[in-house]
Amino acid sequence: MLTFAAAVFFLMITPGPGVLSTAGVGAAFGARVATRYVLGLFIGTNLVCIAIVSGVTAAILADDRLRTLLFFASIAYLTYLALRIALAGSKVAFIERARPPGIRGGILLQAINPKAYAVNTALFTGFGFWPQSFPVEIALKFLIVNAIWIPIHFSWLWLGITLQRMNLPHRTQRTINIAMAASMMAVVLLAALSQA
């Protein structure tokens, strides 16, 4: 169980669309609005987990055409977000929007987030630790995943708000943007390699 918890932590703490957008919404709109967005991400990630555990994801992805379409749509969207971050210039960008995305935006992001599917598939189909009862193991995995997921996302929210308040030098802000965009593109690359 500890190995599973460690895997959850390290797979979720790495920058991906969910945590980067959480930081961006926090930086742009503040904690109250961003908390609604995090609630949407939370609902969305749990829906992804349910789809994986129930086999719905496997059934959908069994159709090669649909899998390819969803894959390229996800890759295109994540590449677009990475480019927006990288080209934001000397303002820490994370992922900005004119209006806050809200609960619905969080749910929709997780629905197309390849990292959410990859991480949760690895976590829920591997790391067996309760051979006596599969339903008990799945329930424990949901509890552990959510117990780690919540503080990680609120930490990224706090980071976004804090970085926005720090008024960092332009060069530092540009470096942060490039590092975040590179992290996002690493997720895209890993998703592409897993598809190959």
Side-chain angles (χ1 to χ4, degrees), residues 61-168:
L61 297 180
D63 181 338
D64 287 339
R65 293 170 299 178
L66 187 55
R67 182 178 63 238
T68 302
L69 176 70
L70 293 171
F71 173 75
F72 283 111
S74 296
I75 295 301
Y77 182 67
L78 293 177
T79 301
Y80 163 75
L81 293 177
L83 288 172
R84 281 189 57 194
I85 292 168
L87 300 175
S90 61
K91 179 181 178 197
V92 174
F94 293 105
I95 298 171
E96 291 187 347
R97 293 176 54 122
R99 293 184 349 239
I103 294 172
R104 182 173 174 253
I107 293 170
L108 292 175
L109 177 70
Q110 292 298 64
I112 65 159
N113 180 355
K115 184 182 176 195
Y117 288 94
V119 165
N120 288 310
T121 297
L123 293 173
F124 281 92
T125 61
F127 299 97
F129 60 81
W130 203 275
Q132 307 90 310
S133 173
F134 180 70
V136 170
E137 180 176 313
I138 293 300
L140 288 171
K141 284 182 174 183
F142 267 97
L143 288 173
I144 294 167
V145 164
N146 286 308
I148 294 171
W149 188 99
I150 292 169
I152 284 175
H153 281 73
F154 279 103
S155 295
W156 276 91
L157 170 61
W158 172 82
L159 177 66
I161 293 169
T162 302
L163 281 175
Q164 194 66 22
R165 290 180 182 159
M166 290 177 74
N167 198 20
L168 297 168

Side-chain angles (χ1 to χ4, degrees), residues 170-196:
H170 295 302
R171 183 181 175 99
T172 303
Q173 291 185 40
R174 191 175 306 115
T175 302
I176 290 170
N177 286 342
I178 291 169
M180 289 186 299
S183 296
M184 187 81 79
M185 289 310 296
V187 171
V188 170
L189 178 62
L190 289 173
L193 291 174
S194 72
Q195 184 75 7

Side-chain angles (χ1 to χ4, degrees), residues 7-54:
V8 171
F9 177 80
F10 287 112
L11 287 169
M12 289 190 180
I13 197 74
T14 56
V19 293
L20 288 176
S21 63
T22 295
V25 172
F29 301 105
R32 184 174 167 206
V33 170
T35 298
R36 289 179 47 81
Y37 178 67
V38 171
L39 175 59
L41 290 174
F42 178 78
I43 293 167
T45 201
N46 278 283
L47 290 174
V48 168
C49 292
I50 290 168
I52 289 166
V53 170
S54 68

